[in-house]
Amino acid sequence: MNYSFNEARPALEVFHTGDSVYAYNLLGAHLVNWNGRNGCVFRVWAPTARSVSVAGEFNNWDNNATYMYDIGYGVWEVFVEGVEEFCAYKYCIESEYGDRLMKADPYAFHAQTRPGQASLVYDIENYSWNDGEWLNKRKENNISSSPMNIYEIHAGSWRKYPDGNFFNYQKLADELIPYLKEMHYTHIQLMPIMEYPYDGSWGYQATGYYAPTSRFGTPSDFMTFVDRLHCEGIGVILDWVPSNFPVDDFGLAKFDGSPLYESNDPKTSKRDSWGTCLFNYARFEVTSFLVSCAMFWLDKYHIDGLRIGALSSMLYLDYGKSEGEWEPNKFGGKENLDAVDFVKRLNTAVHMYHPDVMMFAEENTSWPKLTHKIEDGGLGFDFKWNMGWMNDMLHYMSLNSMWRPFNHDSLTFSFYYAFSEKFLLPISHDEVSHGKGALIKQMPGKYDEQFAGVRAFITYMYAHPGKKLVFMGTEIGQFDEWNFNEAIQWDLLEFEKHKKLRTFFKELNKFYLDCKPLYELDAVWKGFDWIHHDDYTNSVIAFKRTDKNGDEIVSVCNFQPIRRDEYCIGVPKFGLYDEVFNSDEERFGGSGVVNGKNIKTESMKIHGFDQGLSLTLPPLSVIYLRCTKELEPDEVQK
């Protein structure tokens, strides 16, 4: 939609009140035909500017050639005849102090590749989508009771050409889609794809909130990438950063010469530890900018979910700040009330227009009711990243086995709050960077034991309530910490252990998708029961997962590198049990200690049951068991 001058007036008012969800139709650069003349209408919000002009290739970058008109509410406009797609431009903004600032368009749909800083005129309305079947299926699907196994990637370093150059969106799709299907992932999550100037920020300091990065191609190329994934049954989740933005002189910082997208209060306008500015959620036009941005990726790129990173830094006024660097809210608390209101507006808008889209919160405190409905006092997210689980388990798994008995609570605590929110269990890029080392490198012991540790941990993770996310490279056992400048070390698959580890991930992913007890009742107590949780001396736990039909999977976890023979656990049914998955199988690189099929229960009073199983627990392993045939107690004794 391109607004004429008269049509823009109502849209301006909605933008000004903070209620706009389509501000990108009003602001930015739009190719139009006005009164028979082809060209481009430019609009930008710069309320304290003395004057604004647009300079670009069409006027030889003359700052004085094309001045814009103030059309109200701080928005400036000009129509320029003859401007065509891919034309580079910037706004020259004269501040109230007389300075002239060259700024990229906050609403630009395309941008030059760094080190270029200019915006590019682009028509995003010409792409013909082919993913109607996927979108219809998405509307019908209840994601809460469906499997979700996410593969997180950094587009610039999943694979690269031998000379170190990036894959473009087309080549990335060519290589990535067959791999995702082979490995049985349901979704990908892309680290920020919005345009950003500094590679070392990994995309978390964006300057083009409405522009997919041109490092890998055009906006239409990115649409094709998403479209192809959808046509192959794979969802796409994006990292999105509404918390902070960089201070680059061509970006949002002091956009019209004064604090605009940020606050004018130094205590709320910046985060010194990150070297960035913080969005001013108290300003309605900023709310319109951000909410419309989220809607833009859902509307124009058919994105299936947005993950809000660093949510805690938004919700708390004192986050990362020392005494004297922040002021309490009007009630004397540390909660950022404007940010809370923004989050509610955001999730309300998204779920109003796209009820089948997922909103994820990365929040590392115990802020209550993140995934509860707003009308019930919640913030309206669909899933919360379970950072507590992640921190506890990585701490536990990194311990020498002799210290695990003294840290048993790290293993069991997460189950006691597992249903307070709708959780996702993340082993993300943050857990394999910042000097932490790759996941396998965090495992104690010698070479074989490190692989066994990864297999046991991941098999336990897939049985734990919550959706799943694993960062690229984890599945092949890359020992080196992730480096955004280098591709994943795929040549490791020439070595047997690494190849078998990938086979393990492939088979576990497939088992997860086929096993309803592991996902169908993820968010309610009905889907989980303890069997055995207090054998801290042996570092063993056992629990069962249940689906809506009452079918069960029993998970037994041994976190010591010691084989345990005749280890007894209680089970809910008399009968025959099969071992349906074992992280220690030889084909996965394990020692091959297995229990097999048709394991008979025995009469015993144990763990609150009248029957149990005598098992062999492989060293450092997790096994899954399923009752394949129920019997009467006297039949079992025969």
Side-chain angles (χ1 to χ4, degrees):
M1 178 185 297
N2 298 308
Y3 297 105
S4 68
F5 181 85
N6 290 331
E7 291 171 331
R9 180 62 55 177
L12 281 171
E13 294 174 359
V14 174
F15 169 73
H16 180 65
T17 60
D19 294 321
S20 179
V21 294
Y22 299 121
Y24 57 84
N25 286 329
L26 171 69
L27 293 142
H30 299 271
L31 292 170
V32 296
N33 181 289
W34 279 8
N35 300 321
R37 297 182 299 157
N38 290 321
C40 184
V41 59
F42 297 90
R43 295 192 187 98
V44 64
W45 178 54
T48 70
R50 285 185 181 177
S51 68
V52 183
S53 65
V54 59
E57 294 174 330
F58 61 89
N59 63 8
N60 295 315
W61 294 99
D62 185 345
N63 295 339
N64 299 307
T66 312
Y67 278 94
M68 305 177 74
Y69 304 92
D70 184 348
I71 61 172
Y73 299 105
V75 175
W76 302 75
E77 176 188 86
V78 70
F79 169 75
V80 183
E81 188 173 3
V83 172
E84 297 180 345
E85 194 171 33
F86 295 107
C87 179
Y89 69 98
K90 279 187 176 182
Y91 296 116
C92 178
I93 299 176
E94 182 185 8
S95 77
E96 59 183 331
Y97 306 107
D99 302 320
R100 303 194 82 181
L101 312 171
M102 296 300 293
K103 293 287 189 175
D105 188 346
Y107 289 84
F109 298 147
H110 196 20
Q112 290 180 333
T113 307
R114 50 89 178 101
Q117 300 174 349
S119 302
L120 299 173
V121 175
Y122 196 84
D123 184 358
I124 61 168
E125 302 297 339
N126 286 333
Y127 184 79
S128 296
W129 287 86
N130 304 290
D131 64 347
E133 182 178 347
W134 167 266
L135 295 179
N136 289 333
K137 180 181 175 182
R138 194 178 78 181
K139 290 176 183 177
E140 298 169 358
N141 187 39
N142 180 354
I143 194 63
S144 181
S145 60
S146 300
M148 184 160 57
N149 187 13
I150 304 168
Y151 187 63
E152 186 191 23
I153 75 163
H154 177 258
S157 62
W158 181 69
R159 288 189 190 272
K160 287 189 173 186
Y161 288 107
D163 62 2
N165 282 326
F166 298 132
F167 282 3
N168 61 23
Y169 291 118
Q170 178 70 38
K171 178 65 172 174
L172 185 60
D174 291 343
E175 298 282 336
L176 182 61
I177 290 172
Y179 186 76
L180 294 169
K181 294 185 71 176
E182 177 192 0
M183 296 297 292
H184 306 290
Y185 289 104
T186 63
H187 295 74
I188 65 163
Q189 180 167 311
L190 290 168
M191 292 173 66
I193 209 73
M194 297 79 185
E195 193 60 79
Y196 57 101
Y198 175 49
D199 287 18
S201 78
W202 308 341
Y204 289 98
Q205 295 188 14
T207 50
Y209 271 77
Y210 287 77
T213 178
S214 57
R215 287 167 174 81
F216 315 124
T218 67
S220 291
D221 292 333
F222 184 60
M223 290 178 185
T224 302
F225 174 80
V226 175
D227 202 8
R228 290 181 61 187
L229 282 158
H230 282 174
C231 289
E232 295 293 342
I234 299 165
V236 181
I237 301 163
L238 298 185
D239 262 1
W240 183 57
V241 188
S243 56
N244 66 106
F245 56 90
V247 296
D248 299 69
D249 57 10
F250 68 96
L252 296 179
K254 291 189 175 180
F255 186 78
D256 63 356
S258 65
L260 190 60
Y261 289 88
E262 69 273 40
S263 167
N264 60 6
D265 181 351
K267 291 185 177 180
T268 58
S269 66
K270 58 183 179 177
R271 187 165 310 288
D272 291 332
S273 58
W274 294 352
T276 57
C277 294
L278 303 176
F279 279 108
N280 181 8
Y281 306 109
R283 190 149 196 171
F284 291 145
E285 296 90 345
V286 174
T287 296
S288 286
F289 170 79
L290 289 171
V291 173
S292 295
C293 180
M295 291 291 293
F296 172 79
W297 292 98
L298 309 179
D299 292 334
K300 300 302 182 182
Y301 289 91
H302 294 195
I303 296 303
D304 302 291
L306 297 174
R307 177 254 193 180
I308 314 303
L311 181 63
S312 301
S313 72
M314 299 166 58
L315 297 178
Y316 292 99
L317 295 166
D318 65 339
Y319 186 90
K321 296 190 175 184
S322 303
E323 187 176 351
E325 295 179 343
W326 65 282
E327 294 288 341
N329 63 37
K330 62 183 180 181
F331 301 112
K334 60 184 179 180
E335 298 80 11
N336 187 333
L337 302 179
D338 294 319
V340 172
D341 182 65
F342 160 71
V343 168
K344 290 179 178 180
R345 283 183 180 230
L346 169 68
N347 286 328
T348 298
V350 167
H351 290 125
M352 180 183 297
Y353 293 95
H354 297 281
D356 51 340
V357 162
M358 298 172 288
M359 297 295 286
F360 298 84
E362 183 212 17
E363 203 279 321
N364 56 11
T365 75
S366 56
W367 187 284
K369 294 188 174 183
L370 258 72
T371 59
H372 293 232
K373 293 180 180 179
I374 292 171
E375 56 266 33
D376 295 333
L379 291 190
F381 286 98
D382 296 286
F383 294 98
K384 175 182 177 177
W385 277 32
N386 196 334
M387 307 301 285
W389 168 86
M390 178 273 297
N391 286 315
D392 284 348
M393 280 308 299
L394 289 184
H395 164 72
Y396 181 81
M397 294 303 300
S398 68
L399 291 171
N400 185 294
S401 58
M402 67 182 293
W403 296 112
R404 287 179 181 166
F406 305 101
N407 290 267
H408 197 67
D409 60 331
S410 293
L411 177 61
T412 60
F413 180 63
S414 62
F415 290 97
Y416 293 98
Y417 63 84
F419 309 107
S420 61
E421 303 276 7
K422 293 180 180 178
F423 281 117
L424 178 143
L425 309 182
I427 300 299
S428 73
H429 65 276
D430 276 331
E431 281 62 75
V432 297
S433 59
H434 308 300
K436 298 174 185 175
L439 180 65
I440 195 168
K441 197 68 176 292
Q442 297 177 45
M443 301 293 128
K446 295 183 179 180
Y447 185 71
D448 285 356
E449 191 175 319
Q450 289 178 297
F451 279 89
V454 170
R455 294 194 306 270
F457 171 53
I458 297 297
T459 310
Y460 147 86
M461 171 184 173
Y462 278 46
H464 191 292
K467 308 308 180 186
K468 324 299 177 190
L469 178 144
V470 174
F471 186 58
M472 64 182 193
T474 303
E475 77 277 17
I476 64 170
Q478 177 169 316
F479 274 88
D480 289 344
E481 182 172 280
W482 170 62
N483 183 341
F484 72 92
N485 278 320
E486 299 176 1
I488 296 301
Q489 297 168 354
W490 297 104
D491 55 351
L492 289 173
L493 292 174
E494 298 173 8
F495 299 95
E496 181 183 20
K497 281 286 185 180
H498 295 271
K499 187 175 182 180
K500 287 185 173 181
L501 183 64
R502 189 177 72 160
T503 298
F504 159 79
F505 269 89
K506 174 182 174 180
E507 294 302 317
L508 180 59
N509 289 346
K510 185 177 187 302
F511 185 88
Y512 169 72
L513 298 185
D514 294 339
C515 186
K516 289 184 178 181
L518 295 187
Y519 61 76
E520 202 169 58
L521 295 174
D522 254 342
V524 292
W525 275 108
K526 186 178 178 181
F528 169 85
D529 280 294
W530 276 117
I531 291 175
H532 183 36
H533 62 75
D534 57 1
D535 186 6
Y536 64 91
T537 56
N538 291 314
S539 302
V540 173
I541 61 171
F543 55 90
K544 71 180 178 74
R545 299 293 310 281
T546 309
D547 68 15
K548 293 178 180 178
N549 292 326
D551 295 329
E552 299 168 337
I553 287 288
V554 172
S555 178
V556 187
C557 311
N558 173 20
F559 288 106
Q560 290 290 338
I562 300 169
R563 169 176 170 157
R564 304 200 183 280
D565 294 308
E566 299 181 353
Y567 192 96
C568 295
I569 66 161
V571 288
K573 298 172 183 176
F574 273 103
L576 301 179
Y577 281 76
D578 284 353
E579 184 181 73
V580 291
F581 196 89
N582 184 329
S583 70
D584 194 53
E585 290 185 50
E586 287 185 2
R587 65 189 175 123
F588 301 150
S591 63
V593 176
V594 297
N595 290 273
K597 300 183 181 302
N598 296 322
I599 312 164
K600 286 186 178 181
T601 53
E602 301 174 22
S603 293
M604 60 178 82
K605 296 289 185 180
I606 183 171
H607 303 144
F609 299 102
D610 294 324
Q611 62 279 333
L613 295 173
S614 178
L615 300 168
T616 300
L617 303 188
L620 202 53
S621 68
V622 174
I623 62 174
Y624 298 159
L625 303 161
R626 176 186 281 132
C627 183
T628 56
K629 186 177 182 180
E630 285 193 67
L631 300 170
E632 294 299 322
D634 57 343
E635 292 182 89
V636 177
Q637 305 307 317
K638 295 179 181 178

